[in-house]
Amino acid sequence: MSLKSKMPLQVWVLTLAAFAIGTAEFVIAGILTQVAESLNISEGQAGHLITAYALAIVIGGPILTLWLARYRKRFVLIGLMALFVISNLITACSADYTTLMVSRVMAGLTQGPFYGIGAVVATRLVAKKMEGQAVGQMFAGLTLANVLGVPGGAWIGNIFGWNATFIVVAALGAIATAAIAIAIPPQGAEEPKSVRSQIGAFRNPQLLASLLITTLGWVGFMTFYGYIAPIAEQVAGFERSSLTWILVIVGLGLVLGNTLGGKTADKNLSASLIGWPLAMSAALIVVGLVAPQPYLFVAASFVFGVVSFANVPPMQMRVMKHGGYAPELAATANISAFNIANALGGIIGGVVVDSAWGPGYIPFAAIIVPAIGLLFIIWQEWKSPSVSVAA
């Protein structure tokens, strides 16, 4: 059986790297109070570390990818992971807020290019009919970071201090770097890509539409997921100590959704782009309706996890399909689109949770933007349907 007829080990190596990067991104939320107390800053100032990381992804990722696209992808991935390791070691050794902020920005700069270029590499390691599954497999590392990495990192921080958390993250990154150097084969030589030709890919209106689809369709995820804690406590009636296992259950749904989304994208990309956002909207309605019932709330949140993250592979595949001469830049730009959606979702959820409506209305507010996005997706797929790639 040839390498491209099954999911190869190399894709799992990319999954490990994505797990390390995803853990570094989200784990700060679990140790925010410790960081604030250690550096004598407010929790709001500590929260700016999250914002700075996200801005590094949104702004710095595409710019860095423009420059890196001219080099061999294997060496680029190794270099990005090396920078990731160094950044997290600096974070672990930080004794002041400024150094910590700079190190977080450095780490954030690696995420967009790695996910974008890594997704392109993943598709080249498998058969055409498995490209969606390969992308989903790689992004499973991000979902596993929420299931295992973030709770584990918070536990390490609580026992050994927050600095130890980032030492472990750096160690994971070092293992992933070595694995990439050993396992990922050199990619074929490519014609050097000029900045102008790469930017020219964005003249394609379908690429711009794909990025807008990601932004609009994904807002609902962070609107709900970012505020699941107050909903679980104030509406469903759970104790704060129960939040960990609730997040684990939802996280398992994210992992399952990644797998399903990859498979359906390979069978029928157009149907996946419409079906999964519709399913996510339906799940949000159900979550909102059953929120006062604790265990129904958990069950509905698990389903939400499945159908929300099933959107990731199809959205990424559509962008790469229309990326033309610059698939790496297009894929990285899509990571920025996801993070813009995360920021918008955080704003929407924050407005609702602080309003007279309260957290119980967050699932319903989370539907608004994705509903607009769904109409836009249907219109775009009617004009230019995405090709089914089933074999």
Side-chain angles (χ1 to χ4, degrees):
M1 184 176 292
S2 67
L3 177 66
K4 292 195 173 187
S5 63
K6 61 180 180 179
M7 194 65 67
L9 173 64
Q10 290 90 336
V11 177
W12 288 93
V13 169
L14 295 174
T15 303
L16 173 62
F19 173 78
I21 294 174
T23 299
E25 177 183 11
F26 295 116
V27 76
I28 191 72
I31 55 177
L32 201 66
T33 301
Q34 295 181 47
V35 172
E37 293 175 350
S38 173
L39 300 180
N40 294 316
I41 59 177
S42 69
E43 291 188 356
Q45 287 177 298
H48 292 162
L49 297 168
I50 300 174
T51 303
Y53 192 102
L55 288 175
I57 296 172
V58 172
I59 300 173
I63 295 174
L64 190 56
T65 303
L66 274 173
W67 176 61
L68 292 173
R70 72 191 71 182
Y71 301 108
R72 296 289 185 93
K73 293 178 177 56
R74 175 173 174 266
F75 296 117
V76 169
L77 294 179
I78 293 172
L80 288 170
M81 288 306 299
L83 178 60
F84 173 81
V85 172
I86 294 170
S87 302
N88 282 282
L89 287 176
I90 295 174
T91 299
C93 297
S94 296
D96 62 88
Y97 183 62
T98 300
T99 303
L100 184 57
M101 178 68 76
V102 171
S103 69
R104 290 293 291 171
V105 170
M106 288 174 59
L109 287 173
T110 67
Q111 180 161 327
F114 187 91
Y115 284 169
I117 296 171
V120 173
V121 172
T123 61
R124 295 180 180 180
L125 292 168
V126 298
K128 186 76 174 176
K129 64 181 180 180
M130 295 181 64
E131 288 182 347
Q133 295 176 64
V135 172
Q137 176 62 56
M138 178 183 161
F139 277 87
L142 181 60
T143 61
L144 285 172
N146 285 283
V147 179
L148 301 174
V150 173
W155 179 82
I156 291 171
N158 289 329
I159 301 298
F160 302 104
W162 67 268
N163 306 79
T165 298
F166 288 101
I167 291 176
V168 173
V169 170
L172 284 172
I175 294 171
T177 304
I180 290 172
I182 294 170
I184 300 296
Q187 302 293 301
E190 297 181 5
E191 180 183 348
K193 299 177 181 178
S194 68
V195 171
R196 178 178 296 180
S197 64
Q198 292 181 72
I199 295 176
F202 289 86
R203 296 192 187 99
N204 180 0
Q206 280 300 318
L207 175 56
L208 298 178
S210 298
L211 295 172
L212 185 57
I213 285 172
T214 295
T215 302
L216 295 176
W218 190 248
V219 168
F221 173 77
M222 191 54 70
T223 304
F224 171 69
Y225 187 73
Y227 294 89
I228 192 172
I231 301 173
E233 293 178 32
Q234 300 176 37
V235 183
F238 284 101
E239 296 292 331
R240 183 165 297 179
S241 58
S242 300
L243 186 60
T244 298
W245 67 263
I246 293 174
L247 288 174
V248 169
I249 291 174
V250 176
L252 292 172
L254 304 184
V255 175
L256 177 58
N258 242 322
T259 302
L260 291 177
K263 290 182 177 180
T264 60
D266 285 333
K267 291 182 179 179
N268 193 314
L269 182 55
S270 186
S272 296
L273 287 164
I274 296 173
W276 290 121
L278 181 61
M280 185 177 74
S281 297
L284 284 168
I285 293 175
V286 174
V287 169
L289 293 175
V290 304
Q293 307 298 320
Y295 295 105
L296 289 178
F297 168 75
V298 174
S301 297
F302 170 78
V303 174
F304 165 80
V306 174
V307 298
S308 62
F309 250 74
N311 284 281
V312 175
M315 288 176 174
Q316 191 77 350
M317 287 297 295
R318 192 184 203 277
V319 166
M320 292 166 63
K321 173 180 180 289
H322 293 290
Y325 192 66
E328 302 91 351
L329 179 60
T332 303
N334 204 40
I335 303 302
S336 296
F338 277 117
N339 280 274
I340 291 171
N342 285 342
L344 291 175
I347 292 171
I348 294 170
V351 169
V352 176
V353 78
D354 288 338
S355 72
W357 292 331
Y361 282 84
I362 288 178
F364 300 112
I367 301 170
I368 298 173
V369 177
I372 298 172
L374 180 60
L375 293 176
F376 182 70
I377 293 170
I378 293 173
W379 177 48
Q380 288 297 320
E381 288 301 305
W382 176 73
K383 289 199 318 177
S384 179
S386 299
V387 178
S388 174
V389 291

